[in-house]
Amino acid sequence: MSSLFPALTGDPDERAALRFGDRALTYAQLAAAAGAVGRQVRGKERVALWATPSLETAVAAVGVLLAGVTAVPLNPRSGEQELRHILGDSAPALVLAAPGDELPASLGAVPRADIDVHATGPVPDDRRAEDGEPALVVYTSGTTGPPKGAVIPRRAIAATLDALADVWQWTGADVLVQALPLFHVHGLVLGILGPLRRGGSVRHLGRFGTEGVARELTTGATMFFGVPTMYHRIAEALPADRHLAGALAGARLLVSGSAALPLHDHERISTATGRRVVERYGMTETLMNTSVRVGGEPRAGTVGVPLPGVELRLVEEDGAPVAVYDGETVGEIQVRGPNLFTGYLNRPDATAAAFTEDGWFRTGDMAVRDPDGCVRIVGRKATDLIKSGGYKIGAGEIENALLDHPGVREAAVTGEPDADLGERVVAWIVPSDPGSPPGAEELAGHVARRLAPHKRPRTVRYLDALPRNDMGKIMKRALVHG
């Protein structure tokens, strides 16, 4: 196959490639530093990356991939038990870390190699690598047991990034600003490898802040990638920050992912800036599946249509494809295409269970599809599909309705057993004013008027904050199981 990073393996020049704060590398400097990493890891099967949001992590990832070695990104905030499981499962030959990083005791048995971003070495030529060879092993969040390592082949990275380049008109002229973690697909694959595959550049803020986003978008950056928590903070800041509004208005592309962006935040950002945030849909095992196309009709709440090369269908509980896409019928998303992982490391049982006999991956995500093919996610099958009174209800649309109430700052919706209905809708609310929260009847009426009476919450519970993971996703199992 061709190189994952043609701008590095061809004739790297002095264009900007990576910038983290006041530290930066050109393509020529990155190629030399990646070559030094390649020399450290050559001949190894897998190496771990202590994936802090740093220049070292980005250099290490590029060097490892160019050397044809598999990278295992480690979340620096993982607990000792989780890290021990990942290390025992993936058996890395080395752990690459920035000089001075303190590593936990669970990594003590793994040889360490420090990353020198100013070191030089011959650029590895990855063009001889097969497209099915593993590039990354990314561990899932492990909500139903120990994390599983999704083995992502080189072809999946190339296919996803090239498809996104098509639908987003992404070129080497683009400069991306982001502040995402680098141990996961969003921040590492889309946010670091994506710009480098295009021959563009990325500016990582290290820590998210609206000031940093505004600064970069007014000094040459053209795109911003974020998660809903970041966009919520942007929406909150916009009324009092004209500089931020102007910066976002001038961006070529604003993308949100990793969870659904509430409609309320969509509308606030659009009203203040005249720009729509583009949503896309993907997961660790599939990389990206769908996206709203640049220049297409803006429609808040949808994740667009399948990317080029990706097949997508909705299926009923018995596995039969949903017969008609009417924007109302809920089904589980199944996908297949070159963007898929090859399996879970050391878990043939879990791999087999994840696929149908004819090769469709069972995402576990529930959605409806409009007649024109646009997909709207309604939630996870395990936690967001509520069967109440004979209806199948998606939690996502109820959450959006609740967030449209001025007394609601945050909202999550789950189902719990009910002797009469089968399951009843439960709303978990963080009120805008804790001293005067909206009442349960008021919220139920608010939802019933906007959606339908059977979708109203029957129980409301109030919280100071919703439990979220590092990517900003609400951890509903923590709510349901206390």
Side-chain angles (χ1 to χ4, degrees), residues 99-129:
D101 277 355
E102 281 192 39
L103 303 185
S106 51
L107 282 163
V110 184
R112 171 178 177 155
D114 282 345
I115 305 153
D116 182 355
V117 299
H118 301 297
T120 61
V123 184
D125 187 351
D126 66 337
R127 287 173 288 189
R128 292 187 295 272

Side-chain angles (χ1 to χ4, degrees), residues 329-369:
T329 304
V330 177
E332 181 189 359
I333 298 173
Q334 294 184 351
V335 293
R336 64 181 179 187
N339 56 313
L340 263 60
F341 76 137
T342 55
Y344 296 111
L345 187 67
N346 304 322
R347 292 290 304 275
D349 54 336
T351 301
F355 288 90
T356 66
E357 290 184 359
D358 51 349
W360 293 85
F361 175 70
R362 300 179 170 106
T363 67
D365 288 318
M366 308 302 291
V368 300
R369 201 168 181 188

Side-chain angles (χ1 to χ4, degrees), residues 157-408:
I157 294 174
T160 277
L161 295 179
D162 292 348
L164 291 177
D166 176 54
V167 301
W168 291 346
Q169 300 171 19
W170 192 354
T171 73
D174 280 307
V175 178
L176 170 67
V177 58
Q178 61 130 317
L180 297 159
L182 300 187
F183 53 83
H184 207 264
V185 164
H186 194 174
L188 181 60
V189 177
L190 272 61
I192 297 293
L193 307 186
L196 297 179
R197 182 162 175 80
R198 301 271 68 82
S201 64
V202 57
R203 302 174 185 176
H204 198 289
L205 298 177
R207 181 186 296 274
F208 172 77
T210 57
E211 302 87 353
V213 173
R215 180 185 66 246
E216 299 302 337
L217 287 176
T218 52
T219 56
T222 61
M223 312 193 314
F224 172 66
F225 292 177
V227 296
T229 301
M230 296 175 182
Y231 281 104
H232 178 72
R233 292 174 185 170
I234 285 171
E236 293 277 289
L238 278 170
D241 192 338
R242 290 185 179 179
H243 181 54
L244 177 62
L248 293 169
R252 189 184 74 77
L253 185 66
L254 306 172
V255 180
S256 180
S258 296
L261 180 62
L263 293 178
H264 182 54
D265 288 334
H266 262 294
E267 296 303 329
R268 290 197 292 173
I269 292 168
S270 177
T271 299
T273 69
R275 298 300 310 277
R276 282 282 184 185
V277 178
V278 165
E279 289 195 83
R280 84 297 180 283
Y281 161 63
M283 55 195 305
T284 302
E285 292 90 341
T286 67
L287 300 189
M288 294 301 111
N289 298 310
T290 73
S291 179
V292 173
R293 182 177 283 273
V294 167
E297 177 193 354
R299 197 185 310 169
T302 83
V303 292
V305 297
L307 295 176
V310 177
E311 295 179 81
L312 181 147
R313 69 182 185 184
L314 303 184
V315 299
E316 303 278 7
E317 288 182 74
D318 61 2
V322 169
V324 179
Y325 293 138
D326 55 8
E328 292 291 334
T329 304
V330 177
E332 181 189 359
I333 298 173
Q334 294 184 351
V335 293
R336 64 181 179 187
N339 56 313
L340 263 60
F341 76 137
T342 55
Y344 296 111
L345 187 67
N346 304 322
R347 292 290 304 275
D349 54 336
T351 301
F355 288 90
T356 66
E357 290 184 359
D358 51 349
W360 293 85
F361 175 70
R362 300 179 170 106
T363 67
D365 288 318
M366 308 302 291
V368 300
R369 201 168 181 188
D370 295 333
D372 64 358
C374 275
V375 176
R376 288 189 290 121
I377 310 293
V378 300
R380 290 290 293 168
K381 186 176 183 179
T383 55
D384 295 317
L385 183 66
I386 303 165
K387 298 176 183 177
S388 182
Y391 295 98
K392 286 194 288 187
I393 302 169
E397 61 178 344
I398 304 174
E399 289 163 355
N400 273 320
L402 288 166
L403 287 166
D404 200 36
H405 189 287
V408 175

Side-chain angles (χ1 to χ4, degrees), residues 65-126:
L65 294 181
L66 284 176
V69 177
T70 305
V72 184
L74 301 178
N75 178 358
R77 296 178 63 179
S78 294
E80 290 279 342
Q81 182 177 344
E82 184 172 283
L83 280 174
R84 280 194 294 270
H85 165 74
I86 291 172
L87 294 170
D89 191 50
S90 61
L94 282 176
V95 58
L96 300 177
D101 277 355
E102 281 192 39
L103 303 185
S106 51
L107 282 163
V110 184
R112 171 178 177 155
D114 282 345
I115 305 153
D116 182 355
V117 299
H118 301 297
T120 61
V123 184
D125 187 351
D126 66 337

